[in-house]
């Protein structure tokens, strides 16, 4: 397994408050790393330093052979790191095809005038969704009519359609019902099979154990420990989240 | 079911046309609908409303509003009239075209200020354009010296009152602009981003679209269609008035909402707005035709706005429940 992302000694200070003190970890190809931790442990700050939203006070992030630190969110995304936020950032009134292509829409010319190629975009969206194991009931219906799991799939489809090598997911199951949580877990498995690395933020223990290849527990801005799911249990993870280190 | 409900505004238009036709047949023995004069009058009234409502539709789809259009129309009308008056009665085509250019420029300035306020300074569009509503009104009154600027130009009169293939030129202008706005909203990337902006600003921002620039374009488009309304006003009445657009502001906003747009953005079409404008124009003309005092049209249009919103709400409930 090759390492695709290397997070090295990240530190972030907001005024007098140190949100992240010292965080280092790696992510390999096709691996799902869960960042676990209580509220305020620094999970969100860490992923924002990876995605370019925040610049670290100290430390660096390497992606393959590129240094990400200092790059803008757009530059990080174009290198192949896609972040899926809780709100998914979908345009609910548009169909899956337009959501998939938003900002990079396909057009075709008729008599020299350019028109959106809605049909082609819908076809491709259905295709990508199928590769994620999701059947789109009506490709021309707005995504607001789809289930929470299907909507999550569109956000993920957008990431893989544009060749993301690493997908960061922030609490993807937080707002979902039980069957939809299962759908998302299945999506994560399929993404891993495609060789995509995943960083998953969660504080839902069943999710953590279902999805993770490795669990990295953050507490008060430092890595409190790293475990494989097979070598640990709920109790130990909770204890580490609460701050009893290693 | 959904398509049926979306068609309600068509149905409503047909219903009121039918109502006035029956009224005309039974009360006067004449026809309402099948007289060229009536059709032309209704079309001209609808095109006046439309010119303000077309650009406004795009702004409302994006989740914003532009109240300044009423006086953008007046500002453009006065600017055009002043240029023609400055050159004198033997103005000629060149001057008229130059005057129209100046009028449009005046409108575009208002649009740029609106865009700057909303995009750059994050002023809510309702407040920002309420401010420019006042400013454009004042500016138009100041440059016009507080009065109507009358002009004498045969060329302008031809533009305002002439016909192309029997169709009044103001109607032709509105149709051309409606087709352009429809194309932009439904067939271009700009249109998709406008809809997406109305649904979720984050979706467009994360797609790498320059949202600020997009907003400025939207307000400039709105100002341009309102400005064209002003140019046509000056041409039709051989006078530029600062309050040229004021009586139609409410109707323009109403046309957009009757046409299916939502105050929260993300919805609305140009075709809907066109139907909305015709519904209002038919009510306006029809009530006068029935011999009612013209004040009743305000009441009628007010009622239609409320009905439109109620239908829109129940549409959401019905469709939401069935899926």
């Amino acid at each position: 397994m090759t390492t695709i992302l290397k997070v090295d000694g990240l530190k972030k200070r907001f005024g007098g408050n140190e949100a992240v003190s010292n965080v280092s970890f790696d992510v390999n190809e096709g691996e799902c790393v869960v960042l676990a931790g209580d509220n305020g442990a620094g999970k969100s700050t860490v992923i924002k330093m990876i995605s370019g939203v925040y610049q670290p006070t100290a430390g660096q992030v390497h992606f393959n052979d590129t240094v990400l630190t200092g790059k803008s969110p757009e530059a990080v995304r174009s290198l192949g790191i896609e972040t899926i936020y809780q709100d998914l950032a979908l345009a609910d009134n548009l169909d899956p095809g337009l959501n998939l292509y938003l900002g990079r829409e396909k057009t075709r010319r008729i008599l020299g005038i350019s028109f959106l190629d809605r049909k082609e975009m819908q076809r491709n969206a259905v295709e990508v969704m199928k590769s994620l194991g999701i059947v789109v009931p009506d490709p021309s219906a707005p995504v607001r009519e789809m289930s929470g799991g299907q909507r999550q799939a569109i956000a993920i489809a957008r990431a893989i359609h544009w060749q993301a090598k690493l997908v960061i997911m922030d609490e993807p199951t937080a707002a979902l019902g039980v069957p939809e949580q299962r759908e998302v877990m299945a999506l994560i498995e399929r993404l891993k099979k495609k060789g995509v690395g995943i960083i998953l933020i969660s504080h839902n223990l069943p999710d953590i154990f279902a999805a993770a290849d490795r669990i990295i527990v953050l507490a008060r801005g430092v890595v409190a420990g790293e475990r494989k799911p097979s070598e640990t249990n709920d109790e130990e993870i909770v204890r580490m989240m609460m701050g009893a280190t290693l | 079911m959904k398509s049926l409900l979306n068609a309600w505004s068509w149905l409503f238009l047909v219903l009121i046309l039918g109502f006035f036709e029956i009224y005309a047949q039974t009360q006067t023995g004449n026809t309402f609908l099948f007289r060229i004069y009536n059709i032309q009058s209704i079309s001209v009234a609808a095109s006046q409303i439309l010119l303000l409502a077309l650009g406004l539709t795009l702004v409302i789809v994006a989740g914003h509003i532009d109240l300044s259009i009423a006086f953008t129309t007046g500002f453009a009308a006065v600017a055009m009239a002043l240029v023609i008056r400055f050159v004198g009665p033997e103005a000629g085509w060149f001057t008229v075209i130059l005057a129209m250019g100046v009028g449009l420029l005046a409108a575009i300035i208002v649009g740029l200020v609106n865009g700057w306020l909303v995009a750059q300074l994050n002023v809510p569009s309702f407040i920002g354009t309420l401010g420019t509503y006042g400013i454009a009104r004042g500016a138009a009154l100041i440059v016009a010296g507080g009065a109507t600027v009358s002009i004498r130009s045969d060329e302008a009169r031809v533009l305002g009152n002439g016909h192309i293939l029997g169709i009044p030129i103001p109607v032709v202008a509105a149709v051309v602009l409606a087709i352009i706005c429809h194309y932009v909203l439904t067939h271009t990337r700009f249109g998709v981003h406008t809809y997406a902006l109305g649904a979720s600003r984050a979706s467009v921002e994360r797609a790498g679209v320059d949202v600020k620039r997009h907003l400025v374009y939207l307000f400039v488009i709105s100002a341009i269609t309102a400005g064209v309304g002003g140019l046509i006003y000056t041409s039709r009445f051989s006078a530029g008035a600062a309050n040229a657009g004021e009586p139609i502001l409410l109707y323009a906003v109403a046309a957009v909402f009757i046409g299916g747009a939502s105050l929260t953005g993300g919805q609305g079409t140009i075709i809907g707005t066109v139907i909305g404008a015709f519904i209002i124009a038919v009510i306006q003309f029809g009530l006068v035709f029935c011999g009612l005092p013209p004040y009743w049209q305000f009441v009628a249009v007010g009622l239609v706005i409320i009905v439109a919103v109620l239908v829109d709400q129940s549409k959401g409930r019905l469709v939401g429940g069935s899926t």
Side-chain angles (χ1 to χ4, degrees), chain A residues 74 77 82-83 85 87-94 98-99 102-107 113-116 118 141-142 144-145 158, chain B residues 2 61 183 185-189 191-200 202-209 265-267 319 323:
Chain A
E74 286 75 31
R77 164 124 47 75
E82 193 80 27
T83 309
Y85 294 91
D87 65 4
L88 299 181
L90 295 176
D92 272 340
N93 53 350
L94 301 178
L98 286 171
N99 268 289
L102 198 59
R104 297 175 266 207
E105 296 83 0
K106 269 182 184 292
T107 56
I113 302 169
S114 154
F115 286 87
L116 286 173
R118 288 171 192 263
R144 92 164 76 81
E145 291 175 13
R158 188 163 58 189
Chain B
K2 208 166 82 184
V61 166
Y183 165 76
L185 200 51
T186 50
H187 294 299
T188 66
R189 291 177 173 170
V192 170
H193 300 162
T194 305
Y195 278 105
L197 193 56
S200 149
S203 71
V204 202
E205 266 169 355
R206 288 186 201 146
V209 176
Q267 281 180 62
V319 176
T323 49

Side-chain angles (χ1 to χ4, degrees), chain B residues 158-198:
Chain B
V158 167
L159 277 181
N161 301 287
H163 295 76
I164 296 176
L165 302 172
I167 304 168
I169 290 177
V171 178
V172 174
V175 168
V176 169
L177 280 178
I179 290 170
I180 293 173
C181 287
H182 174 77
Y183 165 76
V184 167
L185 200 51
T186 50
H187 294 299
T188 66
R189 291 177 173 170
F190 186 87
V192 170
H193 300 162
T194 305
Y195 278 105
L197 193 56

Side-chain angles (χ1 to χ4, degrees), chain A residues 58-240:
Chain A
Q60 276 195 326
V61 182
H62 298 263
F63 182 58
N64 294 327
D65 295 323
T66 323
V67 181
L68 291 187
T69 313
K71 290 203 187 324
S72 70
E74 286 75 31
V76 170
R77 164 124 47 75
S78 63
L79 285 170
I81 299 182
E82 193 80 27
T83 309
I84 299 170
Y85 294 91
Q86 269 179 46
D87 65 4
L88 299 181
L90 295 176
D92 272 340
N93 53 350
L94 301 178
D95 67 42
L98 286 171
N99 268 289
L100 189 67
Y101 281 89
L102 198 59
R104 297 175 266 207
E105 296 83 0
K106 269 182 184 292
T107 56
R108 66 201 169 108
R109 294 191 160 272
I110 302 170
L111 301 171
I113 302 169
S114 154
F115 286 87
L116 286 173
D117 198 346
R118 288 171 192 263
K119 285 272 165 287
E120 172 75 8
M121 288 187 274
Q122 284 170 8
R123 252 198 309 278
N124 291 348
V126 170
E127 201 93 332
V128 182
M129 297 282 276
K130 205 159 79 185
S131 79
L132 289 169
I134 302 269
V135 177
V136 181
D138 177 1
S140 62
V143 300
R144 92 164 76 81
E145 291 175 13
M146 302 175 89
S147 74
Q150 289 169 333
R151 290 158 48 82
Q152 194 90 36
I154 294 172
I156 294 170
R158 188 163 58 189
I160 61 166
H161 186 68
W162 302 105
Q163 258 77 60
K165 303 282 187 302
L166 177 74
V167 174
I168 301 171
M169 301 169 87
D170 187 359
E171 298 276 5
T173 59
L176 300 181
V178 174
E180 294 169 340
Q181 291 182 7
R182 294 240 170 96
E183 271 180 56
V184 173
M185 287 300 138
L187 280 173
I188 290 174
E189 278 310 310
R190 288 192 203 98
L191 271 184
K192 279 159 63 172
K193 291 217 175 72
K194 287 175 185 283
V196 177
I198 297 164
I199 299 176
L200 179 70
I201 288 198
S202 183
H203 52 211
N204 175 333
L205 287 168
D207 277 7
I208 293 174
F209 278 90
D213 294 306
R214 271 184 300 137
I215 304 166
I216 292 165
V217 182
L218 297 186
R220 300 195 195 102
V222 295
V223 176
E226 183 180 325
R227 295 283 186 279
K228 287 208 161 86
S230 56
E231 296 165 354
T232 184
N233 54 45
D234 290 13
E235 212 175 309
E236 190 188 22
I237 298 291
V238 172
R239 211 154 8 99
M240 284 159 64

Side-chain angles (χ1 to χ4, degrees), chain A residues 5-34:
Chain A
L5 187 85
K6 207 170 172 55
V7 174
D8 192 11
L10 283 187
K11 177 191 274 207
K12 181 69 184 176
R13 194 186 279 280
F14 295 105
N17 179 15
E18 203 165 65
V20 173
S21 310
N22 181 11
V23 169
S24 304
F25 63 90
D26 296 342
V27 181
N28 299 315
E29 210 175 61
E31 183 190 38
C32 177
V33 172
V34 172

